[in-house]
Amino acid sequence: MENRRVVITGMGVISPLGNDVTTYWNNLVAGRCGIDFIRSFPTDGLPVKVAGEVKDFRPEEYGMDKAFIRKQDLFTQYGVAAARRAMDDAGLVAEGEGSNIDPFRLGVYVGSGIGGFETQYREAGKMIEDPTGRWISPLFIPTVISNIAAGHIAIRHQAKGPCLDIVTACATSSHCLGEAFRALRHGYADAIIAGGCEHITIPIGLAAFANAKALSRSEDPQYASLPFNANRGGFVMGDGAAILILEELGHARARGARIYGEMVGYGNTCDAYHATAPRPDGTTQSECIRQALREAGYDPARDRLYINAHGTGTHLNDAAETQACKLALGADAYRARISSIKSMTGHLFGAAGAAEAIATVLALRDGIVPPTIHLDAPDPECDLDYTPNEAVRDELTLGISDSLGFGGHNACVAFRRY
């Protein structure tokens, strides 16, 4: 089967660090922290009071009318908004005036780790109050299901090609990118709107993740998300969406599209070990990295490698991920540039992989490694170069972004400077 080349021609983001790609990237490079005290609901009595919430989001600016906004969960609104920005950025139009792609060759691979969490929480409360269920919204199901964001994105852009919602917890949007990459390489589409969206900062989300001992209990928003730091105590929840337009190179060239970078590899493995903890020896995660690097044609003598780490700030994740990098790269792991932008964004869960892929593509484009901020007490178990506190310039040629999800789901996506 022919392996076609795949490039990135558009990007969109809704995040704790900004709702457009330029603002998001500039804040990452500057080392600004988007984590703050939760503003969207009272946190009195809750075990956690900080998160990476989206700020200044106005859905009407992205073409959503009042009826749509009223009926849709925020995760869908975030996804629709990021997709709108990415499609505008790419200049892709499937139908009508200015159309430049066959709608049956335009796909959507957009996932969410949980889906309409806030809707589920609200409607469940109604059912508890009145077990007859008469007050349950008739739109409950088509609002809560995790595939509905992909469906609405397809409707708005008349994307009539392959449409998938992959759900692999924290690895969701990395898998969406990887599977979209394969579909494009093998000729099943000419362009795919790919990424993820999530809204999990709600009271039950805080309580559930905190009781699972996964969340940082820090009361200082600036010192809460601490990847690879000896003082780390768990991840910080975050919300948002990130979308990349992946397009077959010939199709992109034919229409004169701007190209941000090239996607060149994808790895996909499972720990087959534990429901929430990563395999501690790093063997399955390292194989995922090796798969992506092998497909990307990684040459340690020629390439300057950047690794955008999953880097959640949990003790087990950061230690296992460090071990995985060492197993995959050997001594070259100590030459690689590595950073975790979750130190600034928090953990966007199903949207994290795509948000980190955007950062990886821009790091390659600009030759800048965004930092891991607040890395003031390096963990001896995590002894690689995590780009502490300040961005670093480097002539990067290859970048990978890896994601590790509950259930043992591992994904790694690879990009080259174009």
Side-chain angles (χ1 to χ4, degrees):
M1 187 175 288
E2 178 190 5
N3 279 338
R4 308 190 308 165
R5 292 174 69 182
V6 178
V7 293
I8 298 96
T9 56
M11 299 189 291
V13 69
I14 303 295
S15 81
L17 283 176
N19 300 332
D20 64 86
V21 169
T22 299
T23 302
Y24 168 71
W25 177 237
N26 287 343
N27 282 331
L28 286 177
V29 171
R32 296 191 179 98
C33 186
I35 297 164
D36 204 342
F37 291 106
I38 293 167
R39 313 286 186 193
S40 58
F41 56 86
T43 57
D44 299 341
L46 287 171
V48 172
K49 303 182 188 303
V50 303
E53 291 187 293
V54 171
K55 306 164 189 70
D56 302 318
F57 177 67
R58 289 177 283 275
E60 61 276 2
E61 294 180 0
Y62 305 89
M64 290 175 253
D65 60 29
K66 291 181 180 178
F68 185 88
I69 296 165
R70 185 177 67 253
K71 294 174 182 177
Q72 298 304 320
D73 193 278
L74 268 175
F75 94 98
T76 293
Q77 295 181 40
Y78 291 160
V80 166
R84 168 72 179 270
R85 287 288 184 258
M87 285 292 281
D88 287 350
D89 188 35
L92 269 178
V93 181
E95 285 192 350
E97 186 177 353
S99 63
N100 54 13
I101 187 170
D102 178 348
F104 288 100
R105 302 287 296 171
L106 175 63
V108 179
Y109 283 38
V110 173
S112 174
I114 296 180
F117 205 10
E118 186 170 32
T119 299
Q120 190 173 31
Y121 176 56
R122 182 184 65 242
E123 297 298 314
K126 292 180 186 178
M127 193 73 187
I128 292 167
E129 287 291 321
D130 182 353
T132 67
R134 60 181 170 172
W135 300 113
I136 297 297
S137 170
L139 298 174
F140 173 47
I141 297 302
T143 303
V144 75
I145 50 179
S146 66
N147 67 300
I148 203 65
H152 279 298
I153 290 167
I155 291 166
R156 284 173 174 264
H157 298 285
Q158 287 300 288
K160 299 175 181 176
C163 187
L164 291 177
D165 162 41
I166 295 166
V167 181
T168 49
C170 317
T172 290
S173 53
S174 289
H175 279 130
C176 285
L177 290 171
E179 296 302 322
F181 167 69
R182 285 184 175 169
L184 288 162
R185 289 202 84 181
H186 297 158
Y188 297 111
D190 291 328
I192 296 179
I193 304 164
C197 46
E198 205 78 81
H199 173 57
I200 56 173
T201 305
I202 62 173
I204 196 171
L206 287 177
F209 280 111
N211 289 351
K213 303 190 185 306
L215 293 187
S216 167
R217 303 289 182 114
S218 173
E219 296 184 1
D220 179 359
Q222 295 293 307
Y223 203 74
S225 185
L226 303 174
F228 307 111
N229 192 314
N231 296 323
R232 67 190 184 277
F235 73 81
V236 174
M237 293 170 70
D239 299 324
I243 301 291
L244 293 84
I245 306 302
L246 304 183
E247 189 169 354
E248 189 273 323
L249 176 61
H251 190 276
R253 279 177 171 168
R255 65 182 190 86
R258 173 183 53 191
I259 294 173
Y260 285 101
E262 182 173 3
M263 188 166 180
V264 292
Y266 171 47
N268 183 355
T269 65
C270 184
D271 287 350
Y273 171 73
H274 191 273
T276 56
R279 185 176 282 274
D281 63 10
T283 52
T284 47
Q285 304 96 319
S286 66
E287 174 58 22
C288 186
I289 294 170
R290 274 193 292 265
Q291 287 177 10
L293 289 174
R294 189 182 308 124
E295 189 171 22
Y298 170 61
D299 180 353
R302 175 175 59 90
D303 282 316
R304 282 296 295 149
L305 178 64
Y306 169 55
I307 302 173
N308 190 297
H310 189 55
T312 59
T314 65
H315 179 78
L316 293 177
N317 175 93
D318 294 0
E321 191 172 12
T322 298
Q323 177 65 9
C325 289
K326 292 177 182 178
L327 289 175
L329 295 166
D332 291 317
Y334 290 90
R335 294 180 57 247
R337 296 286 193 184
I338 308 170
S339 65
S340 172
I341 66 168
K342 288 186 180 73
S343 60
M344 296 174 273
T345 64
H347 190 352
L348 274 57
F349 207 67
E356 290 155 17
I358 289 175
T360 304
V361 170
L362 294 177
L364 291 167
R365 184 196 68 177
D366 294 350
I368 299 175
V369 182
T372 306
I373 65 170
H374 306 315
L375 186 48
D376 58 353
D379 185 338
E381 278 191 278
C382 303
D383 59 347
L384 301 178
D385 179 2
Y386 302 108
T387 319
N389 306 315
E390 293 186 2
V392 173
R393 288 200 169 272
D394 199 319
E395 289 300 311
L396 306 167
T397 61
L398 178 64
I400 63 172
S401 175
D402 66 306
S403 300
L404 287 61
F406 281 3
H409 302 286
N410 304 311
C412 184
V413 289
F415 304 92
R416 280 198 179 275
R417 190 171 57 193
Y418 181 81

